[in-house]
Amino acid sequence: MGAQLVVISGPDQGRTIPVEEGQTLFIGRGEGASPRLADPHVSRSHCRLEVDAGKYRLTDLGSRTGTFVNDQQVPWHDLKPGDEIRIGSTRLRFNLEGALDATTLVGGLAKPKPAAPATPVQELVGAKIAFFEIQKKIATGTSAVVFRAHDAEHDRVVALKVLWPETTESEEEVQRFVRAMKTMMPIRHPNIVELYAAGKTGPYCWLAMEYVEGESLVQVIQRIGTVGMLDWQDAFRVAVHVARALEAAYARDIIHRNITPANILLRASDKLAKLGDLMLAKALAGSLARQITRRGELVGDVLYMSPERTRSEAEVDGRSDIYSLGATVYALLTGRPPFEGDALPEVITRIRQAEPVKPKKYQLSIPDMFEGLVLRMLAKRPGDRFQTPTDLLKNLERVAKYQGIAF
């Protein structure tokens, strides 16, 4: 099995350090260190990682600031998959390919045979999954139920998303879930909801995520219908924040695939928008594909799907995410998605063929430049949209500069 250290925060964030059998690594910032880190808070020779017969022993070398594993200072520690190492201001995660651990999968991969029927997901309040004590149900969606929970291992509040068991019934689906969550785990960005851990306990696949005090954009859009329009600058800010999240994902070749108001949270303290469920659509690709082709039904919030996503056989790329963000921003500006209908076939036909009503019909104060940008995001042909999140951000910057908005 291949092992690696992944730098998840600090000056070297994103760097992956392979760890091989029989190898000894001297981690620090000095010239003789291997690997050598750029963190000025790391000692020249900070710690040593020795690999022998499948054991990975980390030893502090008398560093100034100490070596911490899972936030506990240690003189030495035998690493396990998923352990987080902190030295200076740098955090590294120890991964072991093929291993099952708290950051990928807790419990066995094989579907367990419980002695008694499993508690329905929606009734898990008061129960404990892995080391999470479930306190309160927050939301119910098409793929999962989200709970507020206490992480007893790290003494923190988390949002625990428990998937409906039918979404991961087969070994192949569980493995897809594991691979997708492994890809997501190292990503850290202010506009992306942080994923702390993911796993499978009994019949339940789960994700433990950052708990955001605030509300989803679903609640914001619902409120628009009762108290009046959302100031266009607030919608503009959401567009910027989510475009930044998409840019970070795009840099890692990640497509969200299911951007909807439900997957964007607005933090109450500072109105920071945070994109959630990154990689979840890919994790559930097998289940989603089956359901999409069953009796013509579509999974997810169809109202925010790009035209190409309504065709199950179509290839989608990052431009589909740009469309879905455009549809979400349109709903923030107008209080409704760009296309609606009384029946699913009618909605799909309009998404594929109709032109949206211009947002200024609902809110005259919207600048022409911003309206044009949103309509371009909603172009039917992917080639007529912004081609990358970076391209979108550059155009948002032009609007901000013209309108005198702090970007």
Side-chain angles (χ1 to χ4, degrees):
M1 291 188 291
Q4 56 183 208
L5 294 173
V6 178
V7 183
I8 59 176
S9 67
D12 297 278
Q13 182 174 353
R15 181 179 174 186
T16 299
I17 302 161
V19 181
E20 299 177 0
E21 178 66 35
Q23 189 178 27
T24 299
L25 302 180
F26 291 90
I27 306 171
R29 63 178 174 84
E31 291 185 4
S34 179
R36 187 179 182 185
L37 302 177
D39 187 348
H41 303 290
V42 169
S43 296
R44 291 183 177 276
S45 185
H46 200 108
C47 56
R48 179 180 66 234
L49 177 57
E50 299 171 278
V51 187
D52 183 32
K55 291 186 177 180
Y56 300 83
R57 174 157 295 188
L58 184 71
T59 304
D60 183 76
L61 297 176
S63 63
R64 291 181 294 106
T65 55
T67 297
F68 296 77
V69 177
N70 300 326
D71 292 322
Q72 298 292 320
Q73 187 168 2
V74 296
W76 61 269
H77 183 85
D78 287 330
L79 294 174
K80 300 181 292 298
D83 280 347
E84 281 195 12
I85 303 161
R86 176 164 58 86
I87 55 176
S89 60
T90 295
R91 284 184 177 269
L92 309 97
R93 179 174 285 113
F94 176 67
N95 290 337
L96 190 60
E97 187 178 344
L100 311 180
D101 58 78
T103 61
T104 54
L105 197 67
V106 174
L109 282 177
K111 188 177 180 181
K113 298 178 180 178
T119 303
V121 173
Q122 62 271 31
E123 298 175 15
L124 284 172
V125 174
K128 187 173 182 179
I129 292 181
F131 36 83
F132 302 102
E133 298 158 356
I134 298 176
Q135 300 172 334
K136 176 184 176 183
K137 185 165 72 173
I138 300 173
T140 301
T142 56
S143 62
V145 179
V146 184
F147 300 93
R148 175 190 166 108
H150 177 249
D151 179 348
E153 185 173 71
H154 299 94
D155 190 24
R156 62 187 173 191
V157 175
V158 301
L160 187 71
K161 176 166 286 198
V162 183
L163 305 185
W164 300 108
E166 56 267 27
T167 62
T168 50
E169 288 181 331
S170 73
E171 175 78 10
E172 179 186 355
E173 288 165 342
V174 173
Q175 291 285 2
R176 185 185 297 108
F177 173 76
V178 172
R179 289 193 299 271
M181 294 306 104
K182 278 185 175 180
T183 301
M184 176 60 197
M185 202 71 65
I187 297 176
R188 298 289 183 271
H189 190 276
N191 298 114
I192 295 176
V193 175
E194 184 174 352
L195 176 63
Y196 296 138
K200 188 171 191 291
T201 302
Y204 311 112
C205 280
W206 51 264
L207 303 84
M209 304 168 292
E210 170 188 5
Y211 183 80
V212 180
E213 287 280 4
E215 59 185 350
S216 75
L217 293 190
V218 170
Q219 295 163 293
V220 175
I221 292 167
Q222 288 172 344
R223 196 165 61 249
I224 290 171
T226 58
V227 300
M229 293 297 123
L230 184 73
D231 189 301
W232 72 265
Q233 293 191 33
D234 292 326
F236 180 84
R237 189 179 301 111
V238 169
V240 171
H241 291 178
V242 179
R244 287 172 176 167
L246 290 179
E247 184 178 50
Y250 186 81
R252 294 168 172 81
D253 297 321
I254 292 173
I255 304 166
H256 190 289
R257 292 178 172 83
N258 193 33
I259 293 177
T260 69
N263 288 332
I264 300 171
L265 302 176
L266 207 58
R267 194 162 63 190
S269 60
D270 55 5
K271 302 304 180 185
L272 184 77
K274 297 176 83 73
L275 178 62
D277 280 355
L278 197 63
M279 295 298 292
L280 186 58
K282 185 171 184 178
L284 301 179
S287 300
L288 291 179
R290 283 201 305 273
Q291 294 180 55
I292 283 173
T293 56
R294 185 179 61 202
R295 288 184 289 177
E297 294 179 2
L298 287 156
V299 173
D301 200 327
V302 182
L303 299 173
Y304 299 92
M305 281 185 178
S306 64
E308 60 270 28
R309 272 205 67 212
T310 65
R311 299 177 172 91
S312 59
E313 74 279 0
E315 288 291 326
V316 300
D317 55 27
R319 295 171 297 182
S320 177
D321 284 347
I322 288 173
Y323 177 97
S324 296
L325 174 56
T328 299
V329 173
Y330 183 100
L332 287 173
L333 292 169
T334 68
R336 66 202 70 198
F339 304 105
E340 297 178 288
D342 295 328
L344 186 60
E346 181 183 359
V347 173
I348 293 172
T349 299
R350 289 181 178 175
I351 289 173
R352 293 175 181 175
Q353 300 175 8
E355 292 301 319
V357 175
K358 291 185 177 182
K360 289 190 74 166
K361 177 179 178 181
Y362 303 98
Q363 188 176 169
L364 286 172
S365 62
I366 301 169
D368 290 342
M369 286 179 66
F370 186 34
E371 180 185 65
L373 183 149
V374 173
L375 292 174
R376 183 176 171 189
M377 294 170 74
L378 292 172
K380 303 298 181 189
R381 294 178 60 254
D384 293 334
R385 300 173 204 148
F386 299 105
Q387 298 301 286
T388 66
T390 301
D391 187 20
L392 171 59
L393 279 168
K394 287 179 180 176
N395 282 272
L396 286 165
E397 187 173 14
R398 290 193 189 100
V399 174
K401 184 176 181 180
Y402 190 80
Q403 295 295 323
I405 304 171
F407 191 72

